[in-house]
C-alpha cells in the first residue's frame, strides 16, 4: 500500500493536498472511466474518492447535496420534471425526492460502477434510486442532452466531478447550450462550480458562458464543505428566458411546501436563511466576478 501515489500534483489543485486518517479501506477498484476508492475515516465516516479526489463524506455530504438540490428547486413554483447529471451516489436524488411536486426525475451518470459501489457502501445516499419517480440513464451527459426533448425540464442539476477526465466537456459552451434548450422557459440550472478561493478563472469562464447562453438571471452561490479543497464549493444558478426567476427571494420556500415541518426536520443543512446567505459574496469575489 506504500505505492499509493501522492495527490499534491493534481492539476486542479497544484501544490496542495489534504489528508484524512484512514481507518480501513473498504473498496478499491477501477472502472472504464476512473479509479474508485471507499474508505472509513476517523472523523468523517465513510468517504468516496474518484481519481484521488474526495467526492463526499458521510459527515458533510448534506452541505453539498441539500444545497445543490434545494437552491434550484425552491426557486421555481411546483417543479415537476428534473434532470440530474452525474450524482451516481444518489444523494442529490434523495434530496429532490423530498419535493412532493416532483413527478419525474431523469439521472444521467456515466459510470455504472459508481452507482453499484455506492449502493453497497452508502445506502443512506443511494436510497434516492429507489424512488419510483427516478429513471436512470447510464451514459455520457453530453450525448444524453444532445438527444433530450426541447423544453422538457423545470430544473437541471449538474452534480458532476471536476473538469478533468469524464467531466471535461461539462464546462464548455456547447454543453450549456444543450442544457438551456432542454429547460422550459423560466427553467433553472444549478451547476457545481468549484471553489471561489482556488478557481476564480474557471468560475469567470463559466459565468461568461452562462451569461451569454442563459437569458434570465445568472448567480453564483456557495456552501461550506470541509472535506473539499479550500473547504467551500460553489454553484452557478441560471434561468432561461421566460418567467423571471428571483433566486435570492425564492418563490417556493421550503417552509411553505407540503409537509413542511417534516421536510425541514429531515434536512441537516439547508433552510431559507442559508439559501439567502449562500448568494452573499466576499468583496474579492465580487470584484473578480464582475469583470467578466
Ligand atoms: N454527489 C457528490 C459527488 C459528485 S459525483 C460526480 C459524478 O459525475 C461521478 O459519479 C462521475 O462518474 C459523474 N460524471 C463525470 N463525468 C460525467 C459525464 N460526462 N456524464 C455523466 N456523469 C459524469 C461530485 C463531487 C464534486 C467534487 C468537487 N471537487
Amino acid at each position: 500500500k506504500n505505492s499509493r501515489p501522492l495527490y499534491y500534483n493534481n492539476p486542479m489543485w497544484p501544490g496542495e493536498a489534504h489528508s484524512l486518517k484512514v481507518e480501513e479501506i473498504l473498496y478499491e477498484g477501477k472502472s472504464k472511466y476512473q479509479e474508485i476508492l471507499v474508505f472509513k475515516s476517523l472523523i468523517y465516516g465513510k468517504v468516496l474518492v474518484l481519481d484521488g479526489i474526495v467526492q463526499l463524506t458521510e459527515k458533510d455530504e448534506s452541505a453539498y447535496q441539500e444545497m445543490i438540490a434545494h437552491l434550484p428547486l425552491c426557486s421555481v413554483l411546483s417543479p415537476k420534471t428534473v434532470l440530474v447529471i452525474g450524482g451516481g451516489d444518489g444523494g442529490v436524488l434523495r434530496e429532490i425526492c423530498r419535493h412532493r411536486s416532483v413527478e419525474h426525475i431523469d439521472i444521467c451518470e456515466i459510470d455504472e460502477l459508481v452507482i453499484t459501489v455506492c449502493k453497497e457502501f452508502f445506502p443512506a445516499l443511494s436510497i434516492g434510486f429507489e424512488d419510483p419517480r427516478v429513471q436512470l440513464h447510464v451514459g455520457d451527459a453530453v450525448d444524453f442532452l444532445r438527444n433530450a426533448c426541447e423544453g422538457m425540464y423545470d430544473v437541471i442539476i449538474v452534480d458532476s466531478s471536476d473538469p478533468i477526465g469524464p467531466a471535461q466537456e461539462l464546462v464548455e459552451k456547447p454543453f450549456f447550450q444543450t442544457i438551456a434548450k432542454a429547460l422550459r422557459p423560466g427553467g433553472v440550472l444549478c451547476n457545481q462550480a468549484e471553489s471561489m478561493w482556488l478557481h476564480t478563472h474557471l468560475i469567470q469562464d463559466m459565468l461568461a458562458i452562462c451569461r451569454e447562453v442563459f437569458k434570465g438571471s445568472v448567480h453564483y452561490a456557495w456552501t461550506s464543505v470541509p472535506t473539499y479543497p479550500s473547504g467551500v464549493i460553489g454553484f452557478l444558478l441560471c434561468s432561461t428566458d421566460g418567467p423571471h426567476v428571483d433566486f435570492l427571494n425564492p418563490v417556493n420556500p421550503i417552509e411553505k411546501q407540503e409537509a413542511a415541518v417534516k421536510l425541514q426536520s429531515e434536512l441537516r443543512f439547508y433552510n431559507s436563511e442559508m439559501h439567502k446567505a449562500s448568494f452573499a459574496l466576499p468583496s474579492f469575489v465580487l470584484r473578480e466576478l464582475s469583470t467578466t
Side-chain angles (χ1 to χ4, degrees), residues 13 34 48 50 53-56 64-65 85-89 92 108-111 114 139-142 159-162 166-167 170 192 194 228-229 233:
W13 302 278
Q34 52 211 343
L48 173 70
L50 299 178
I53 302 167
V54 170
Q55 304 293 306
L56 63 92
Y64 177 83
Q65 331 261 26
I85 302 296
D89 51 84
V92 172
C108 177
E109 161 64 56
I110 203 167
D111 195 342
V114 171
D140 191 334
V142 174
D159 174 24
S160 73
S161 25
D162 306 293
L170 309 191
Q192 191 269 94
E194 303 298 346
Y228 285 166
I233 195 151

Side-chain angles (χ1 to χ4, degrees), residues 31 43 54 79 90-91 97 101 127 132 163 167-169 180 203 213 224 226 234 237 240 244 253-255 286:
S31 72
I43 301 293
V54 170
C97 290
S101 67
I127 191 173
Q168 189 127 29
E169 285 179 65
I203 300 167
V213 171
S224 138
L237 284 133
T240 53
H244 176 65
I254 206 102
E255 64 272 13
L286 279 177

